[in-house]
Each structure stands twice: as C-alpha cells, then as structure tokens.
Amino acid sequence: METPSTSTSSYQRDDGPVRATLVGIGLTVFGLLMANVLTTPAFLFDPALLEGLGNGSIAGRTLALILNFVGMFLAGLLYLLATGRGLAWIDLRIPSRRDWKYIVAGGVGSLVFLFAFNIVTTLLEVSAAESQIMEIIGGDQTMILIMIVVVFLFNAPAEEFLFRNVIQKRLYAAFTRMQAVVVASVIFALVHFPMYVAFADSLLSTLASLTVMFGGALIFGYVYAKTDNLLVPTAAHAVLNAFQFTVLYLAIEYGIEEVQAEPATLAEVADAVWTVAVALA
C-alpha cells in the first residue's frame, strides 16, 4: 500500500488529457457493464425483479444491490491487474489523525453543501429528480435498514474505489490533482444522467440532481486527493448516504408524507431533516 508521500512522488503527468479522460470514461462504462452482468444471478434467484426492482422480495433486492456494487468493484480491480498496476495501486491504510479530520470535513462539508443547495433550489422553485432508490425501497422500513448496511459495506467502498482510487488517480497522469478531481467528478455525475432523465419531470430537475452528484463528488474527490487514503472518501460518502436513509426511515416511522414524497433525492434532505425534527419535537 502507498503512503501519501510515496504516492505523490509517483504521480507524473506523462499522459495526454484526452487519452486519460477517455480511459476514465471507458472504465466507467466497463464498471456499469460489470455491474449489470453480475446482477444476473439476482434476477434468476427472484424473477419478480424482471418486472421492476420494487416488485422483488427483500432478499432479491438486497442481492441485486450487493452484486451491482461488487461488479463495479471488480471492474476497477480487473483494470489494475490487467495494466500491471496491481494491488499496490490501492491507497488503503488505517486513518491517521489527519485523515480523520478530512473524514469529518468531507462528511460535514457534503451536508452543508446539501443544505445550501436546497436553499438555492427552493428559491428558484426547482426540485431535484427522484432516483431508482425509491423504487427499490418501496416504502419498506426493513429495506431502508438494509440499504444503510449496503451503503457502508458495498456502495460507498465500490464507488469510491472505482471513481477515486482508480479513475481519479489514473487522471493524475495527465492533470494536476485538482483538475483530476473535477474531471472525475464530471464523469461521476454524468453516469447518473440516464437514471435522472428517466425519473425527472423536467430538464431542470435532471440538471439539479446532476449538480448535486457533481458537488458531492468534488468533495469526496478533494479529501481523497489530500490524503491518498481510500477510507477517507469512503467513510464520508457512507456517512452522508446513511444520514439520508435515516431521515427516510424516521419519515416513514412517523408517517410524514411530505418527506416520503421524494426522500431519496439529495436536494430534499434539508427539508426532510427539518420536517422530521419538528415532528419529533
């Protein structure tokens, strides 16, 4: 495993920006393909998933989610092995005191970003698009609790590994670190474009959701670039998503319908937190 000092010295801009960006896009497509291929056993296990993820059993939905993120992780791992980078390319170590500061900064920063973004979209009367997560959850509290576990063990680790430790780090060969953070964040946001187009009621809603994805990716990419430790953005990412699902769980528990309407969209988290807090007061 690499330490921040050794990994920094190994990043040399010896690749063209166009080629590096295309590699990043290619890795993203490969990750999506691997995710789709690996979810096949889930559909064989529970054919009801073919009619929609929300129609499957809890076991089927859980298996599909896990295999989806395992596929994403395998895509990044296969790339490292195929290109000779190997496991030494993975920046993984026990967080230092400095790393913990960035974990906190990343988690708090992403929440602050969401609150600020919500204020802006509220003033502009623009709502973010829903996501497929609502279809998967289907208003089931048990599924929400499972989602929290999946976020910590599979979702955040897989996405941060592929988009930060593989794609962003690969971009260091052609860009400065901060430029690589921006390019990787654009790629990450665009990955969600098809999903938000399908669930959005307008182009503005789609753009709002993509902006949230881009902003979150910038924060996670930045803390990774400053620490060279995969656990830092992974922890910050997991905490953010777990917070969202916790708010949704409380909304369903206390029957707060206005929060349940779009509880999984990041731009609505601030309103959801406030509504839940008022209900519990």
Side-chain angles (χ1 to χ4, degrees):
M1 305 302 172
E2 300 177 7
T3 61
S5 58
T6 58
S7 63
T8 300
S9 62
S10 66
Y11 298 145
Q12 298 178 355
R13 293 197 294 277
D14 55 3
D15 197 4
V18 174
R19 183 174 185 274
T21 302
L22 290 177
V23 170
I25 295 173
L27 280 168
T28 301
V29 174
F30 182 48
L32 294 176
L33 290 175
M34 285 292 293
N36 287 329
V37 169
L38 255 71
T39 55
T40 301
F43 290 92
L44 295 176
F45 170 78
D46 186 357
L49 292 170
L50 294 172
E51 301 175 5
L53 294 178
N55 295 321
S57 63
I58 289 180
R61 282 177 280 171
T62 302
L63 181 60
L65 283 169
I66 291 175
L67 292 178
N68 175 79
F69 294 119
V70 169
M72 192 175 295
F73 176 84
L74 285 179
L77 185 61
L78 288 174
Y79 171 77
L80 296 184
L81 296 177
T83 57
R85 288 171 169 83
L87 299 182
W89 185 265
I90 303 175
D91 295 319
L92 194 61
R93 67 176 188 280
I94 298 175
S96 64
R97 179 177 297 181
R98 178 175 180 273
D99 291 337
W100 277 109
K101 291 180 180 179
Y102 276 101
I103 289 175
V104 173
V108 173
S110 58
L111 287 173
V112 171
F113 167 71
L114 291 180
F115 276 86
F117 184 83
N118 185 73
I119 293 174
V120 173
T121 54
T122 298
L123 292 175
L124 296 177
E125 298 183 346
V126 176
S127 61
E130 291 189 25
S131 72
Q132 197 175 27
I133 294 300
M134 284 310 301
E135 179 185 355
I136 296 174
I137 292 174
D140 192 323
Q141 286 178 286
T142 301
M143 197 64 214
I144 297 175
L145 296 177
I146 291 174
M147 288 294 296
I148 294 176
V149 176
V150 169
V151 160
F152 276 96
L153 299 182
F154 299 98
N155 182 0
E159 288 191 348
E160 294 308 311
F161 170 65
L162 179 61
F163 286 97
R164 250 58 72 181
N165 202 163
V166 177
I167 294 177
Q168 180 176 310
K169 188 173 179 179
R170 172 64 179 80
L171 291 170
Y172 291 163
F175 299 94
T176 66
R177 288 201 169 207
M178 292 303 103
Q179 289 172 339
V181 169
V182 174
V183 175
S185 298
V186 170
I187 294 174
F188 180 79
L190 291 179
V191 167
H192 296 81
F193 181 78
M195 177 181 68
Y196 285 127
V197 166
F199 287 88
D201 55 8
S202 68
L203 178 59
L204 284 178
S205 293
T206 299
L207 293 177
S209 295
L210 293 179
T211 300
V212 172
M213 289 294 138
F214 175 70
L218 280 179
I219 293 172
F220 301 141
Y222 176 79
V223 296
Y224 170 67
K226 298 297 290 185
T227 60
D228 289 320
N229 188 351
L230 178 60
L231 285 180
V232 174
T234 298
H237 185 159
V239 168
L240 172 63
N241 287 162
F243 173 81
Q244 293 174 259
F245 287 122
T246 299
V247 171
L248 174 57
Y249 181 90
L250 292 174
I252 294 178
E253 175 71 18
Y254 291 93
I256 307 172
E257 295 184 0
E258 57 267 39
V259 176
Q260 295 180 48
E262 294 183 77
T265 58
L266 294 178
E268 299 298 327
V269 170
D271 281 342
V273 172
W274 175 254
T275 305
V276 169
V278 171
L280 297 180

